[in-house]
Amino acid sequence: MSFQDEMKQMFSRVVAGEAEPEEWRTWWNSHKSRLEEILSRGDQGRIMPVLWSASYRWMAKTQKGVAYYFYSQGRPVKVSGYYEEKMLEEEKRARQKAMEGYHRDTAYARGQWERYLKERPKAYNDPREPIAVMYRNAPLFVRTRQIGDAKERHNAVRETYEEVCRFMRYYHGLAKKAETILTDQYREIIV
């Protein structure tokens, strides 16, 4: 079997989602000099970017690069969704690990906060206290975690934040002119 055939066979495995990240890296590194002779710099960059690491996120990028290579050779291929699914699972695990770390790192501060509120029931229950108002509105933000789509979740958090801010400004009697100026500035920052 010639190297060209071996390369196309491995590329086909990547497109089908059959090659694992470590296997791909090992194969690429062992044939790097031959691949540099055959592939253009652009194809090399699309298939194996400089910052590539053995993860499904990078395999999804590699898969797209290989699909583009086949397309440019006049052989369009259908790509498997395997790497995308695995990438989402990896990201979910990374988010969960980060949240566990966050909760572990902030447990002391949250404990202090809960003790502070228990020692000062007025601060917790008095609706005139800004701290109590923000503490009471925290569950509104927590509910947004249940929204699956990231864009919808972002919009829900922003709307909740604007609603709480509107209430706070109203409650503390700030002028309506200041409210419109702040809202316009906030929209300019987002856009």
Side-chain angles (χ1 to χ4, degrees), residues 126-130 133 164-174 179:
D126 188 358
R128 293 173 294 180
E129 283 288 325
V133 172
V164 170
C165 288
R166 255 193 317 274
F167 172 77
M168 293 298 288
R169 286 192 295 270
Y170 171 78
Y171 184 79
H172 290 289
L174 294 178
E179 180 178 341

Side-chain angles (χ1 to χ4, degrees), residues 16 51 60 62 68 89 93-94 116 118 127 134 166 174-175 191:
L51 300 175
T62 295
Y68 182 82
E89 289 174 15
R93 279 193 303 274
Y116 171 83
K118 284 180 183 171
M134 292 306 287
R166 255 193 317 274
L174 294 178
V191 175

